Amino acid sequence: MILTKAQYEEIAQCLVSVPPTRQSLRKLKQRFPSQSQATLLSIFSQEYQKHIKRTHAKHHTPEAIENYYQRYLNGVGRNGAAPVLLELANEVDYAPSLMARIILERFLQGHEQTPPSKSVINNMLRDPSQIPDGVLANQVYQCIVNDCCYGPLVDCIKHAIGYEHEVLLRDLLLKKNLSFLDEDQLRAKGYDKTPDFILQVPVGLDQAWSSIGTDLSRNWTATGKEASCSKPLSPQTSSPYAIAQLDPEDPGREAGSNVTFLPYKLLATSALNFS
């Protein structure tokens, strides 16, 4: 189904007043039953990523961090079993997993002689049982499992989806009898950049890339050793693959908003048509 710019803006406007939770996605599906869940999740992720980019800095000032930490301590002091961190994240309109990271870093700074490394923090977020404080471990776990945009659980899901599309793309290339090299073969040849696949023989194709609802859509045509960009697409797009990619190491980065076509290099998340 084609998604018009007006429909996108209506959905985006609806997202302004809802927190980034799975319950909100269910309400969104009820509000817009004609749109697929994948489309709604894509728009939800993209709009929320924009929001995080705009507000990321204010949540990481020393004053804000100390304020959040003291509110966390007061909350668990009253009731350690209550979802204090999750409620705090929703109250200040920040991603639960990112709030958990802030509090975990502050906790470790107060209990360790040396500042915790990024790898230590990441390992504890992936496996909260490694956190030395049981109450905080439970609070972090609640944030991770209830965050549908950020965190290690979301990263795992994205990795699985990416691998699935890589397998589908490989099958498509084999079905069309196209000669290609995969990532392992490229690494063995010493390539420093390794896309999922690189075509050994050029093919002519028209490919529409889009980031849903933005003005970044272009029509790319590859016919030789270079890729050319023609006129922008209309405000309508039917691409089911324009899903915002969320970067846990840099939440302010719009990883899915600037797509570049590389000649003969195919990414598994591309919607290719060789017919």
Side-chain angles (χ1 to χ4, degrees), residues 41-210:
L41 177 59
S42 175
I43 298 174
F44 184 94
S45 299
Q46 184 163 290
E47 289 300 309
Y48 192 65
Q49 184 185 8
K50 293 177 183 177
H51 169 73
I52 291 297
K53 180 180 179 180
R54 291 192 299 266
T55 62
H56 179 69
K58 77 174 185 179
H59 296 292
H60 285 77
T61 64
E63 296 80 9
I65 292 174
E66 194 61 32
N67 177 46
Y68 295 156
Y69 188 61
Q70 292 303 321
R71 292 180 63 180
Y72 159 74
L73 293 178
N74 294 335
V76 296
R78 291 190 296 268
N79 185 359
V84 176
L85 269 188
L86 183 60
E87 292 176 353
L88 175 59
N90 290 334
E91 180 183 335
V92 300
D93 201 12
Y94 198 51
S97 292
L98 301 182
M99 177 61 72
R101 177 183 287 271
I102 289 176
I103 300 302
L104 178 58
E105 288 181 349
R106 175 62 181 82
F107 170 82
L108 293 176
Q109 288 172 1
H111 290 75
E112 303 288 342
Q113 294 183 352
T114 58
S117 65
K118 182 179 292 187
S119 62
V120 170
I121 296 293
N122 289 338
N123 287 336
M124 289 184 176
L125 290 173
R126 295 189 189 100
D127 181 11
S129 66
Q130 297 182 23
I131 299 175
D133 183 271
V135 174
L136 179 56
N138 181 53
Q139 295 287 328
V140 169
Y141 174 77
Q142 292 178 25
C143 288
I144 297 298
V145 299
N146 284 284
D147 195 327
C148 58
C149 293
Y150 287 91
L153 179 59
V154 173
D155 293 339
C156 183
I157 294 172
K158 289 194 299 181
H159 178 77
I161 293 174
Y163 181 74
E164 177 187 5
H165 284 116
E166 185 175 340
V167 172
L168 293 173
L169 181 54
R170 174 187 289 274
D171 290 344
L172 178 60
L173 293 172
L174 292 173
K175 181 180 179 181
K176 298 297 182 179
N177 293 319
L178 294 173
S179 179
F180 63 88
L181 297 175
D182 60 23
E183 288 183 282
D184 293 334
Q185 292 170 315
L186 292 172
R187 291 191 188 96
K189 289 178 175 291
Y191 281 68
D192 57 341
K193 294 184 178 180
T194 56
D196 294 324
F197 304 98
I198 182 169
L199 298 181
Q200 292 184 297
V201 179
V203 296
L205 61 92
D206 289 334
Q207 173 59 41
W209 296 90
S210 65

